[in-house]
Amino acid sequence: MKRIGIADTTFARYDMARAAIREIKKHASVEIVRYTVPGVKDLPVAAKRLIEEHKCDIVIALGMPGAAPIDKVCAHEASTGLIMAQLMTNRHIIEVFVHEDEAGDERTLARLAEKRAAEHALNAVRLLFRPEELTRMAGTGQRQGFEDAGPLEGGGGTH
Amino acid sequence: MKRIGIADTTFARYDMARAAIREIKKHASVEIVRYTVPGVKDLPVAAKRLIEEHKCDIVIALGMPGAAPIDKVCAHEASTGLIMAQLMTNRHIIEVFVHEDEAGDERTLARLAEKRAAEHALNAVRLLFRPEELTRMAGTGQRQGFEDAGPLEGGGGTH
Amino acid sequence: MKRIGIADTTFARYDMARAAIREIKKHASVEIVRYTVPGVKDLPVAAKRLIEEHKCDIVIALGMPGAAPIDKVCAHEASTGLIMAQLMTNRHIIEVFVHEDEAGDERTLARLAEKRAAEHALNAVRLLFRPEELTRMAGTGQRQGFEDAGPLEGGGGTH
Amino acid sequence: MKRIGIADTTFARYDMARAAIREIKKHASVEIVRYTVPGVKDLPVAAKRLIEEHKCDIVIALGMPGAAPIDKVCAHEASTGLIMAQLMTNRHIIEVFVHEDEAGDERTLARLAEKRAAEHALNAVRLLFRPEELTRMAGTGQRQGFEDAGPLEGGGGTH
Amino acid sequence: MKRIGIADTTFARYDMARAAIREIKKHASVEIVRYTVPGVKDLPVAAKRLIEEHKCDIVIALGMPGAAPIDKVCAHEASTGLIMAQLMTNRHIIEVFVHEDEAGDERTLARLAEKRAAEHALNAVRLLFRPEELTRMAGTGQRQGFEDAGPLEGGGGTH
């Protein structure tokens, strides 16, 4: 049975992992391994260990960086590390970050976090089991958590 | 037979892969392997897997980063990862990014995406089969998707 | 017996290591190895040596970057290196940086440094001995050194 | 016989490779291998292949980044990759970048490109054959393409 | 006998290596290997070669980045490379950079370069022979080249 790793943080203000796990269970029968760390900069090594020590086939890395400039820098460092971890393992680590300043109030931010986590969890399932679905959606302006942007006007679009 | 990998995204709003594949087929007889991921930050590991697992000799990585500051950061992280993936595999990965703010309207952006994908696909074919063509064009101000800048005035220029 | 490495600097203006070591001893029986370097950019290799040469199971990296723009760049470089060191060793290195401009006066800064070092020392103990505690706190807006942000209003929150 | 690799781009608007090769031939008897790629971000892997596959002892990487902010980011990514390529091979890769906004008109830019390429080509020859020449010039404010800054006033300076 | 590597540049406007070597000789009996390169971006591979090919136990990397924005970027790239080189070798490389805009006139800049090089040379000696001295100075606000900042007021400070 395939294994999906879920790496998340105590810094985040929403339990994105729960949203991701619920969505995964709707779409696939897999083992789930969860690994919680303090903040986003701890995610890269957690994700790598989920792959190498816990034998996960793919990882979803969930985080909620703050709104201050230093938080943006932390998120950038974490993202760079997550990409490096993927290159070192040849496995996907789907980064799902929700920035605290992406929404004006807490309720909207919570809904965004829920939706983005769920939609990226589905992306992880597709990468693992149904990659051809992603290819059918290539170039169609998919967005996670927000309404899709859609394909460009005048861009053709019939595959 | 040589293999060219095409890595693209569902985030992009134009099917740049189709444009690239069409151009490749005009110029060379190769096998093409396509690998679609959610966004540009997923491209580095996809490109590396195309090289190491799908045995591609070269990869074209297509993406269309958004116009917001966070999108610029994502593109930078993706580019850094694509360069690292090349260094780890000793294979070229031609990055073809079209930024959503490079054109004022959707139709122009679509044409830019089409043209840049096609021109860089030709570059990939040259790197693989006719590297001497690139050397003949060295220092001549080639641009992909826009009009070429041309060689500097007063710069000599006869090889 | 498990070993915790403590990497710290002579640049810092507060003995954060003492605070971290005191907290660790309250919660766990471990061997502690301390390694002091000049500044934060020397921390990545110190942390890696603590893991590889001194056989530490986890490392706490303590630093106090200055307030000037160049200090922010140094902190960013150090953080990037600490993440890389983790990926190369598959071990956690908990970064505990206190920026000199995080507080308006020296007394407050000292208290912040003390508290953040202690709270992150506890995080290191949890990662090593009681990871399930961190999972119980996932998504609850924990902050180290400051009051916790708490979970988002309207975000649900019962596990 | 020693081999010097020359990596350059079709994006550049001046044939810097010709200037570099001419200068090398004045100073040393070596084999030269040239490798042209589309843009500066393709240089790191080209330089690494020149070292590992074409057995070059040193590489000169020539590029001419544009003046737009995105071009500055590309140059930064390329430079980071060139440093990484050096660390992976233990060989020097002399980066020779001329930014399009370093001169006010095309003629001056062409002369700058010519001069910087030539002066750095000489540096490559020194690194390979006469490293003691560089040590004699240490701390003397050498600049490539522009007038040297010279040693600091009041800095002593007799070796 | 231990070996200390000194990597420096022809770009710098002060012979910082001389200051560093003089200080080392006051404090320790070691072999010194000097390696001069054109600019700070050439330092990472020079430092790595000093460690791997010249068998140095530690390296001091001396540079004097210019005051322009592009020089700041170069310094950042060099620093990132120096940290990576340390992680690849498990050896310290003490970075000693003096930015041309750190002082208002050339004489002051020269004195700063002299002093910082000497003080960091002593740090290198301590890391190699007397690491316990650094631990005694931990958290005491040491600065190299400028007056020490000292420990925070109200921060305690008796070890």
Side-chain angles (χ1 to χ4, degrees):
Chain A
M1 192 183 273
K2 294 280 188 183
R3 319 187 102 195
I4 297 182
I6 306 278
D8 66 344
T9 70
T10 66
F11 187 97
R13 302 181 59 197
Y14 187 79
D15 187 357
M16 297 163 78
R18 198 172 37 173
I21 292 167
R22 189 188 301 134
E23 187 71 16
I24 290 169
K25 291 194 170 160
K26 278 195 223 163
H27 297 282
S29 180
V30 296
E31 275 184 81
I32 287 170
V33 187
R34 186 167 175 180
Y35 190 148
T36 306
V37 294
V40 290
K41 291 205 273 196
D42 306 305
L43 288 174
V45 77
K48 185 154 177 276
R49 292 180 70 171
L50 281 168
I51 293 166
E52 294 183 341
E53 299 174 13
H54 299 271
K55 307 296 170 200
C56 291
D57 300 286
I58 194 166
V59 171
I60 301 170
L62 304 150
M64 194 181 278
I70 182 73
D71 297 314
K72 302 294 184 192
V73 176
C74 288
H76 170 52
E77 291 156 0
S79 295
T80 303
L82 288 171
I83 289 173
M84 193 67 204
Q86 293 175 74
L87 294 177
M88 291 167 95
T89 59
N90 273 9
R91 290 290 169 271
H92 280 285
I93 300 169
I94 301 293
E95 179 197 300
V96 189
F97 283 4
V98 174
H99 293 257
E100 258 203 275
D101 53 358
E102 282 193 78
D105 64 282
E106 299 201 357
R107 240 162 245 282
T108 311
L109 193 60
R111 277 199 303 268
L112 174 60
E114 171 82 22
K115 209 167 163 222
R116 187 171 291 162
E119 294 191 28
H120 265 311
L122 178 52
N123 275 336
V125 170
R126 284 172 177 144
L127 277 167
L128 211 48
F129 296 107
R130 318 192 292 258
E132 68 288 353
E133 273 187 34
L134 290 168
T135 297
R136 275 200 296 273
M137 293 191 293
T140 61
Q142 298 296 309
R143 298 293 180 267
Q144 288 77 33
F146 290 125
E147 206 186 335
D148 292 338
L152 290 177
E153 224 183 284
T158 52
H159 281 257
Chain B
M1 192 183 273
K2 294 279 187 184
R3 318 187 103 195
I4 297 182
I6 307 278
D8 66 345
T9 70
T10 66
F11 187 97
R13 303 182 60 198
Y14 188 79
D15 187 357
M16 297 163 77
R18 199 174 35 173
I21 292 168
R22 188 188 301 134
E23 187 71 15
I24 291 167
K25 291 194 170 159
K26 278 196 223 163
H27 298 281
S29 180
V30 296
E31 275 184 82
I32 286 170
V33 187
R34 186 168 176 181
Y35 190 149
T36 306
V37 294
V40 289
K41 291 204 273 196
D42 306 305
L43 287 174
V45 75
K48 186 156 176 275
R49 292 180 69 171
L50 280 168
I51 293 166
E52 294 183 341
E53 298 173 13
H54 299 272
K55 308 296 169 198
C56 291
D57 299 285
I58 195 167
V59 171
I60 301 170
L62 305 150
M64 194 180 278
I70 182 71
D71 297 315
K72 301 294 184 192
V73 175
C74 287
H76 170 52
E77 291 156 0
S79 295
T80 303
L82 288 171
I83 290 174
M84 193 66 204
Q86 293 175 73
L87 294 177
M88 291 166 95
T89 58
N90 273 8
R91 289 290 169 272
H92 281 285
I93 301 169
I94 301 294
E95 179 198 301
V96 190
F97 283 4
V98 174
H99 292 258
E100 258 202 274
D101 53 358
E102 282 193 78
D105 65 281
E106 299 202 358
R107 239 162 244 282
T108 312
L109 193 60
R111 277 197 303 267
L112 174 59
E114 171 83 21
K115 209 166 164 223
R116 187 171 292 161
E119 295 191 28
H120 264 312
L122 178 52
N123 276 336
V125 170
R126 284 170 176 145
L127 278 167
L128 211 50
F129 296 107
R130 318 191 293 257
E132 68 288 352
E133 274 187 34
L134 290 168
T135 297
R136 274 199 298 273
M137 293 191 293
T140 61
Q142 299 296 309
R143 298 292 179 269
Q144 288 77 33
F146 289 125
E147 206 185 335
D148 292 339
L152 290 176
E153 224 183 283
T158 52
H159 280 257
Chain C
M1 192 182 274
K2 294 279 188 184
R3 319 188 101 196
I4 296 181
I6 306 280
D8 67 345
T9 70
T10 66
F11 187 97
R13 302 181 60 196
Y14 187 80
D15 187 356
M16 297 162 78
R18 198 173 35 172
I21 292 168
R22 188 189 300 134
E23 187 71 14
I24 290 168
K25 291 194 169 158
K26 278 195 223 162
H27 298 281
S29 181
V30 296
E31 275 184 83
I32 286 169
V33 187
R34 186 168 175 180
Y35 189 149
T36 305
V37 294
V40 289
K41 292 205 272 196
D42 306 305
L43 288 174
V45 77
K48 184 155 177 276
R49 293 180 69 171
L50 280 168
I51 293 166
E52 295 183 340
E53 298 173 13
H54 298 272
K55 308 295 168 199
C56 291
D57 299 286
I58 196 167
V59 171
I60 301 169
L62 305 150
M64 195 181 279
I70 183 72
D71 297 314
K72 301 294 184 193
V73 176
C74 288
H76 171 52
E77 291 156 0
S79 295
T80 303
L82 289 170
I83 290 174
M84 193 66 203
Q86 293 175 75
L87 294 177
M88 291 166 94
T89 59
N90 273 7
R91 290 289 169 273
H92 280 285
I93 301 169
I94 301 294
E95 178 197 300
V96 190
F97 282 4
V98 174
H99 292 258
E100 258 202 276
D101 53 359
E102 281 192 79
D105 64 281
E106 298 201 359
R107 239 162 245 282
T108 312
L109 193 60
R111 277 198 303 267
L112 174 59
E114 171 82 21
K115 210 167 162 221
R116 186 170 292 162
E119 295 191 29
H120 265 311
L122 179 52
N123 275 335
V125 170
R126 285 170 177 145
L127 277 168
L128 210 50
F129 296 107
R130 317 192 293 257
E132 68 289 353
E133 273 188 34
L134 290 168
T135 296
R136 275 200 297 274
M137 294 190 294
T140 61
Q142 299 296 308
R143 297 293 180 269
Q144 288 77 34
F146 290 125
E147 206 185 336
D148 293 338
L152 290 177
E153 224 182 281
T158 52
H159 281 257
Chain D
M1 192 183 274
K2 294 280 188 184
R3 319 187 102 195
I4 297 182
I6 306 278
D8 66 345
T9 70
T10 66
F11 187 97
R13 302 182 59 197
Y14 187 80
D15 187 357
M16 297 162 78
R18 197 172 38 171
I21 293 167
R22 189 188 300 133
E23 187 71 14
I24 290 168
K25 291 194 169 157
K26 279 195 222 162
H27 298 281
S29 181
V30 296
E31 275 184 82
I32 287 170
V33 187
R34 186 168 175 180
Y35 190 149
T36 306
V37 294
V40 289
K41 291 205 272 196
D42 306 305
L43 287 174
V45 76
K48 186 155 176 277
R49 293 180 68 171
L50 281 168
I51 293 166
E52 295 183 341
E53 299 172 13
H54 298 272
K55 306 296 169 200
C56 291
D57 299 285
I58 195 166
V59 171
I60 302 169
L62 305 150
M64 194 181 278
I70 183 72
D71 297 314
K72 301 294 184 192
V73 176
C74 287
H76 170 52
E77 291 156 0
S79 295
T80 303
L82 288 170
I83 289 174
M84 193 66 204
Q86 292 175 74
L87 294 177
M88 291 167 95
T89 59
N90 272 8
R91 289 290 169 272
H92 280 286
I93 300 169
I94 301 293
E95 179 198 300
V96 190
F97 283 3
V98 174
H99 292 258
E100 257 203 274
D101 53 359
E102 281 193 79
D105 64 281
E106 299 201 358
R107 240 162 243 283
T108 312
L109 193 60
R111 278 197 304 267
L112 174 60
E114 171 82 22
K115 210 168 161 221
R116 186 171 292 162
E119 295 190 30
H120 264 312
L122 178 52
N123 275 336
V125 170
R126 285 170 176 145
L127 277 168
L128 211 49
F129 296 107
R130 316 191 294 258
E132 68 288 352
E133 273 188 35
L134 290 168
T135 297
R136 274 200 299 273
M137 293 192 293
T140 61
Q142 299 295 308
R143 297 294 179 266
Q144 288 76 34
F146 289 125
E147 206 185 337
D148 293 338
L152 290 177
E153 225 183 283
T158 53
H159 280 257
Chain E
M1 192 182 274
K2 294 280 188 184
R3 319 187 101 195
I4 297 181
I6 306 278
D8 67 344
T9 70
T10 66
F11 186 98
R13 303 181 59 197
Y14 188 79
D15 187 357
M16 297 163 77
R18 198 172 37 171
I21 292 168
R22 188 188 301 134
E23 187 71 15
I24 290 168
K25 291 194 169 158
K26 279 194 221 163
H27 297 281
S29 180
V30 296
E31 275 184 81
I32 286 169
V33 187
R34 186 167 175 181
Y35 190 149
T36 306
V37 294
V40 289
K41 291 205 272 195
D42 306 305
L43 288 174
V45 76
K48 185 154 177 277
R49 293 180 69 170
L50 280 168
I51 293 166
E52 294 183 341
E53 298 173 13
H54 298 272
K55 307 296 168 199
C56 291
D57 299 285
I58 195 166
V59 171
I60 301 169
L62 305 149
M64 193 181 278
I70 183 71
D71 297 315
K72 302 294 184 192
V73 176
C74 288
H76 171 51
E77 291 156 358
S79 294
T80 303
L82 288 171
I83 289 173
M84 193 65 204
Q86 293 175 74
L87 294 177
M88 291 166 95
T89 59
N90 273 8
R91 290 290 169 271
H92 280 285
I93 300 169
I94 301 294
E95 178 196 301
V96 190
F97 283 3
V98 174
H99 292 258
E100 257 202 276
D101 53 359
E102 282 193 79
D105 64 281
E106 299 201 358
R107 239 163 245 283
T108 312
L109 193 60
R111 277 198 304 267
L112 174 59
E114 170 83 22
K115 208 166 164 223
R116 187 171 292 162
E119 295 191 29
H120 265 311
L122 178 52
N123 275 336
V125 170
R126 285 171 176 144
L127 277 168
L128 210 50
F129 296 107
R130 317 191 294 258
E132 69 287 353
E133 273 188 34
L134 290 168
T135 296
R136 275 200 297 274
M137 294 191 293
T140 62
Q142 299 296 308
R143 298 293 180 268
Q144 287 77 34
F146 289 125
E147 205 185 336
D148 293 338
L152 290 177
E153 224 183 281
T158 52
H159 281 255

